Amino acid sequence: MGAGFGVAFTPENLLFVFIGVLAGTVIGILPGLGPMSAIALMIPIAFGMDPTTAIIMLAGVYYGAIFGGSTSSILLNAPGVAGTVATSFDGYPMARKGAAGKALAIAAIASFTGGTIGVVLLMLIAPALSSFAVSFGPADYFALMVLGLTAVVTLGGRNITKGLIAAVAGVMVSLVGIDSQTATLRFTFGMPELYEGVKFLIVALGLFALAEVFSMLARRGAGGADGAMSSLRLNRRELGRIAGPTGRGSILGFFTGVLPGAGATVASFLSYSMEKRIAKDGDTFGSGNPKGVAAPEAGNNAAAVGSFVPMLTLGVPGSGTTAILLGALLVLGVTPGPMMLSDRPEMFWGLVASMYVGNIVLLVLNLPLIPLFAKVLKTPRAVLIPLVVVFCVVGVYGLSFSVFDLWLMLGFGVVGYLMRQNGFPAAPMILGLILGSMMERSMRQALQISYGDWTTFVTSPYSAALLGLTVVVLVWPLVKRLRKGAPATAAGAPAEGAEKEDTTTTP
């Protein structure tokens, strides 16, 4: 950790920690622009940077967006990110009662605590998990990635079939281009521009940023936040009331975030529902209970940190957002995995140390600047939409100076908008794109080692257990359907980046 702080405290890295968390906070409080869109927009800035500095900045954007997303949830009942939907259940009623300042202060303190506890657990658990992961073979990695993709499908929306379709579409897109093992062309339709495959940034900006632009254009009218702000101060009694929910939400959120496919959204709902069940005043949740703000805010920020564990130690994204981060690292020439702690220790421990610094910066930024950030909600769409489009065009065109890539991004933007309109989650598609080629490579390696024996996927104990868990994850919603006689639904909230339902009203 001493070496990590040595990396984090360099002037350049301190600057980009600040830039990352500030950009993430501002983008997070804008309704609709979540952490995935934020990171996708920041990736072009990361090109050409030192990989350690780049991941420090992009990670700051991630947990900064989760940190700042509570502002619009509390002030407007319009969550800036999917992970803060649960915060609006009690945060918005508090704001209506004239306690918006206290609600925002509780959210900031709980977010800081959850993020810090998450970093401590990351520091303690990640090395052990990395040592364990070294024993994984190709068959085990294939099964792990199948489980991660399946978890996103089942948690990514109400209709599992639509989630599976999105995931398969992402895997199909990942197979476009020249086969790395046989050098044959696949799904290029005679277009030389597709020989190198479909670039990750094109899909990410199209599915999330451009799709959001189209959604903004489809929606009319824009509300502004009330400039009145109550006191931000909390007395000892109020701090005592939120201490338990914050601690429990932090621990539950971190371990939820470690699970591939769960992410901050699921963690926030789980933390909220757990606290509502065990609290003596649980019947007051939904009417402005401060515990209902503290628990989900601690949970989603701890989960944001926890999702780095499988990405850094196994090379498997723990959420849709870390899938984008994984893609960014691969573009920068860094391959996360079990050997990262030994091969790139300065990057791993520098990132962990920067998270400590970033959480402190976020707390210092958010408490005094809450009234200023609230004014960002009044940004006219006539200004916001052109800025997003310019970022997308410059980012994609700067990759290869190809107009074809711009048309391709526009096509994915239309696809992303249609997916939103018809209830198809975007997170499984982006994960399918990231994991597709990796799954294929691990499957081929496993079959080569076993001389074409497919039973290798069930004779390996780790692989058999993970595939068995995958079957359980897929079958369990069907069992619930048979029991209740209702359509199969996911056992959780919408995943990050998935189309959010109108669940932001007080339950």
Side-chain angles (χ1 to χ4, degrees), residues 232-249:
L232 304 179
R233 293 186 178 182
L234 300 174
N235 56 41
R236 288 186 177 181
R237 180 175 174 275
E238 290 169 328
L239 289 172
R241 287 187 67 192
I242 66 171
T246 300
R248 288 186 290 269

Side-chain angles (χ1 to χ4, degrees), residues 450-461:
S450 64
Y451 298 101
D453 184 5
W454 287 86
T455 60
T456 186
F457 295 105
V458 293
T459 53
S460 169

